[in-house]
Amino acid sequence: MTVPTLSVGTRIAQNREDGSGTLIGYLPVGFPDLGTSIDAAVALAENGVGALELGLPYSDPVMDGLAIQKATERALENGFRTRDVFTAVEAVRARVDVPVLVMTYWNPVVQYGVDRFADDLLNAGGAGLITPDITPDSADDWIAASDRTGLDRVFLAAPSSTDARLRSTVEASRGFVYAVSTMGITGARANVDAAARTLVGRLREAGVENTCVGIGISSGEQVAEVLGYADGAIVGAALVTALAEGGVAGAAAKAAELASGVDAARK
């Protein structure tokens, strides 16, 4: 059964109209096993996470911190296959009404087939892709496939990006632009880098409609801080750690704590 697609941009706009920002939660598919990863993603959505980012495990991560690396290694050891991500997306969308993006490095998409990947994601009810290791000027195949299917395409912007690069990223992205709050790998930090606020301001000047900040957010207080100037806050490592240490219940509790920041930032 095809599950209707829900655009992340639509959800962000709905939340903005309600005076609220959007909490986006990341979990890798297949950790600690496929069924549990689906249950955990549903639990996030049921505890205040407004959009989901399901990670496709990859053997050579370039920006993932230790918590996510360990989780994806476990998923791969347990026999994760690319097709499992579509199973997970469809299962989650059948249970909760939140947009589901897939976070993936580009090589697995190429190996699977760009158009085939786009079609299978669309048919599963997925919203689109976050592609951390390609830039708009090297993404012609994905831009064509996402234009054909209407899927969201989320590119990353970093504090080191030039103004010209930010403009091209804004023009090419659909759904939101992923503002990387710090240089380096993912992982919870005591303080979200102040560079994120400056980067979001530069993206606004470049004409961005929606921008969400990720990398380094681990508490409800930090979610509230980020939602004071951005449209969304993305949390990954803190949720993965909670799942690893406390199972689905632990992930649900952490999601609820993070979601308290959404309420605190409500305008």
Side-chain angles (χ1 to χ4, degrees), residues 4-241:
T5 296
L6 177 62
S7 164
V8 68
T10 298
R11 179 50 52 85
I12 291 172
Q14 290 170 344
N15 289 344
R16 184 163 47 230
E17 288 176 6
D18 292 337
S20 175
T22 301
L23 173 61
I24 301 172
Y26 166 94
L27 288 175
V29 175
F31 173 73
D33 56 69
L34 182 59
T36 304
S37 68
I38 291 168
D39 289 342
V42 170
L44 299 193
E46 291 175 339
N47 284 275
V49 170
L52 292 166
E53 184 182 314
L54 298 186
L56 196 156
Y58 188 53
S59 59
D60 187 26
V62 296
M63 64 172 281
D64 293 326
L66 187 59
I68 294 175
Q69 283 185 29
K70 286 184 175 180
T72 56
E73 286 170 4
R74 172 85 172 272
L76 291 168
E77 289 168 359
N78 288 344
F80 171 84
R81 295 292 181 266
T82 298
R83 62 180 176 271
D84 292 337
V85 77
F86 307 115
T87 299
V89 170
E90 185 167 8
V92 170
R93 288 287 294 121
R95 293 169 62 183
V96 289
D97 187 28
V98 298
V100 180
L101 293 159
V102 170
M103 162 77 94
T104 180
Y105 295 102
W106 189 237
N107 189 55
V109 180
V110 173
Q111 294 298 317
Y112 192 85
V114 177
D115 282 307
R116 179 187 173 206
F117 197 106
D119 288 340
D120 286 356
L121 181 58
L122 181 69
N123 289 334
L129 294 183
I130 300 172
T131 50
D133 61 339
I134 58 169
T135 55
D137 53 9
S138 61
D140 287 350
D141 289 347
W142 168 230
I143 289 172
S146 55
D147 278 345
R148 177 177 60 81
T149 55
L151 291 168
D152 290 331
R153 51 176 183 257
V154 177
F155 293 106
L156 273 63
S160 59
S161 299
T162 64
D163 289 345
R165 171 66 71 188
L166 292 185
R167 285 193 297 272
S168 67
T169 300
V170 167
E171 290 169 2
S173 295
R174 183 164 57 229
F176 65 89
V177 171
Y178 191 129
V180 180
S181 65
T182 59
M183 301 302 290
I185 60 174
T186 62
R189 291 171 171 81
N191 296 293
V192 175
D193 195 329
R197 189 183 296 266
T198 300
L199 177 57
V200 169
R202 293 176 63 207
L203 285 165
R204 300 283 190 215
E205 291 175 359
V208 75
E209 182 176 3
N210 299 316
T211 183
C212 302
V213 171
I215 302 184
I217 302 170
S218 60
S219 69
E221 282 187 357
Q222 289 177 333
V223 168
E225 178 187 347
V226 167
L227 293 182
Y229 59 88
D231 303 290
I234 304 168
V235 181
L239 288 168
V240 174
T241 298

